[in-house]
Amino acid sequence: MDNISRQKIQALEKMLGEDGPVAVTAHMRPDGDAVGSCVAMYHILKDAGRDARIVLPDRSPECLAFLTGTVEEGRLLIHEDDRAGAEAAISGCSLLFCLDYNAFHRTGEMESALGNSMARKILIDHHLNPSHELFDLVFSETEISSTAEYLYYIMMATERFGQNPGKLPPDAALALMTGMTTDTNNFANSVYPSTLEMASSLLGAGVDRDMMIGHLYNEYREERIRLMGELLSRSLKITSYGVAYMVLDKETIGKYNLQEGETEGFVNIPLSIGKVKLSCFFKEDKDRIRVSLRSKKGISANRCAAEYFHGGGHELAAGGRLTVPDDVRSIHDVPSYVEKVTREFMSTGSNI
Ligand code: 5GP
Ligand code: MN
């Protein structure tokens, strides 16, 4: 991580010191880092006496209820459930935090509300290629585990915290630990010296990590594990180019009554096979097929997502989509599509 600019911290402190409602937003299908960063920011703002609301494009996974449950009634708005309330919070705020995304289109249907908002906008994010022109203040850093970690160091650099994590509201400390833990896949990837220092400081400040791990990784439904078994034994294919892929269709999703977020982590599993360099996971959605990509060092999942799946992300973890019928006629065509494009990708432009 680069040094955080003193000038930017002062600009942030000035905005934090003003009055007026604040909206804290994250990307669609919010994950642990998005929700953790928003919940932490909310508690920090609330603690400072600000009138803060979290506005998310859609619902967050059930395993994160231990975080969202710490937000006061009426202060967590979901655009998918309450479009009017969510858009009123975005248009009515004077300060807007954009956490864990690099451009408004990553918020799906909230994109135009964000674009039209007259509020000053602060970006805090760790993805590649942020759209600088959309924001008044940009904190963008890719050499870091997560937005939660970045938010932690930004807050510690302010006068209010003065490098003392003990001053964080306890719910904010828990939310920051959660965002970092989920984005590193529980310390499996993107771990930097700063990441372990943050973890150590937050543990020292009293975060109950055992409780958090219990919620995140030990409360799955049996169906999730059974489905994982079925996918690994029946769907997983490995090409001669070292590309693994699995396809999950609507029929199977229905059979297991799968909930949002329950396939989180599936795409990582094939990467534990020695010969696999790139892992792709395809999940049939309403009008599109969602794509998750993970790669080993040297292979750019980000470039693969951008070139073949209308997406992007980080170098080793990215995502995107395939549209029906433009890219593929149906979910059944995904294997031939993925074999073709990854053959091209791995034999030409796969290197970072
Ligand atoms: P996941 O596979 O966990 O859904 O996403 C992995 C990473 O890729 C995340 O950092 C996420 O922000 C990014 N990502 C996922 N889908 C998209 C997409 O459609 N567009 C872009 N630009 N990034 C995506
Ligand atoms: Mn993130």
Side-chain angles (χ1 to χ4, degrees):
M1 172 177 47
D2 283 338
N3 275 338
I4 301 172
S5 132
R6 194 65 233 140
Q7 223 177 343
K8 285 190 186 179
I9 293 293
Q10 282 165 353
L12 172 69
E13 285 175 323
K14 188 160 176 292
M15 293 187 207
L16 286 173
E18 291 164 2
D19 289 330
V22 190
V24 183
T25 64
H27 58 78
M28 59 185 158
R29 293 188 305 280
D31 56 6
D33 193 27
V35 174
S37 299
C38 286
V39 170
M41 195 69 235
Y42 162 82
H43 283 293
I44 290 167
L45 289 163
K46 183 172 170 238
D47 203 46
R50 295 296 302 259
D51 172 18
R53 283 172 189 77
I54 298 174
V55 188
L56 297 176
D58 34 34
R59 277 165 243 150
S60 51
E62 190 50 37
C63 66
L64 299 174
F66 73 104
L67 290 186
T68 52
T70 66
V71 177
E72 235 181 306
E73 183 87 31
R75 296 273 164 180
L76 172 57
L77 300 154
I78 309 290
H79 190 266
E80 173 184 38
D81 296 334
D82 176 12
R83 193 184 180 104
E87 296 195 356
I90 292 173
S91 62
C93 68
S94 56
L95 189 60
L96 186 70
F97 280 92
C98 303
L99 305 183
D100 201 35
Y101 63 94
N102 54 5
F104 294 154
H105 70 85
R106 294 283 298 121
T107 66
E109 300 205 352
M110 270 168 38
E111 179 178 5
S112 58
L114 289 168
N116 293 332
S117 166
M118 301 298 286
R120 250 123 18 108
K121 303 179 188 76
I122 302 176
L123 176 77
I124 302 178
D125 181 48
H126 69 131
H127 292 92
L128 297 159
N129 313 319
S131 298
H132 283 266
E133 70 285 359
L134 299 175
F135 309 99
D136 297 278
L137 184 57
V138 171
F139 291 93
S140 173
E141 169 64 65
T142 55
E143 299 290 303
I144 201 159
S145 69
S146 53
T147 296
E149 183 189 331
Y150 198 24
L151 178 57
Y152 169 81
Y153 283 106
I154 289 168
M155 286 302 140
M156 287 305 108
T158 63
E159 237 174 74
R160 172 151 162 244
F161 291 102
Q163 306 296 345
N164 181 356
K167 289 190 177 172
L168 282 167
D171 289 331
L174 173 67
L176 291 172
M177 185 77 118
T178 304
M180 176 274 290
T181 301
T182 54
D183 252 27
T184 59
N185 197 8
N186 202 7
F187 298 96
N189 14 67
S190 314
V191 172
Y192 295 81
S194 59
T195 314
L196 296 176
E197 279 165 27
M198 169 206 187
S200 169
S201 300
L202 289 177
L203 268 186
V207 168
D208 185 348
R209 186 169 184 274
D210 291 342
M211 177 274 285
M212 178 196 78
I213 292 291
H215 284 299
L216 293 177
Y217 302 116
N218 298 324
E219 281 181 10
Y220 293 127
R221 291 187 317 134
E222 179 183 343
E223 286 87 339
R224 176 187 190 267
I225 308 302
R226 301 251 175 231
L227 169 66
M228 191 192 282
E230 180 172 329
L231 280 172
L232 291 173
S233 64
R234 292 203 202 168
S235 168
L236 176 65
K237 301 278 182 304
I238 302 174
T239 76
S240 54
Y241 288 87
V243 176
Y245 65 92
M246 294 187 277
V247 182
L248 176 57
D249 58 28
K250 270 187 196 161
E251 200 186 325
T252 314
I253 291 172
K255 180 173 141 196
Y256 288 92
N257 185 24
L258 217 61
Q259 312 296 308
E260 187 60 47
E262 279 195 302
T263 53
E264 187 81 36
F266 283 13
V267 64
N268 294 304
I269 302 169
L271 271 194
S272 63
I273 301 166
K275 65 183 173 185
V276 172
K277 297 177 192 138
L278 173 69
S279 171
C280 317
F281 183 68
F282 298 87
K283 185 176 171 188
E284 194 174 13
D285 209 347
K286 275 163 252 159
D287 53 353
R288 60 180 55 178
I289 295 159
R290 272 153 54 182
V291 184
S292 278
L293 303 176
R294 298 292 183 273
S295 58
K296 283 184 181 152
K297 222 172 170 180
I299 306 288
S300 174
N302 174 59
R303 197 179 312 161
C304 186
E307 283 177 21
Y308 302 105
F309 300 111
H310 315 285
H314 311 284
E315 285 300 2
L316 306 183
R321 65 184 183 278
L322 284 175
T323 54
V324 182
D326 294 347
D327 297 315
V328 287
R329 272 174 303 159
S330 80
I331 188 84
H332 306 295
D333 287 344
V334 169
S336 57
Y337 181 90
V338 64
E339 299 240 359
K340 177 173 150 280
V341 302
T342 58
R343 191 185 317 123
E344 185 181 306
F345 178 67
M346 296 302 281
S347 52
T348 55
S350 64
N351 292 345
I352 283 172

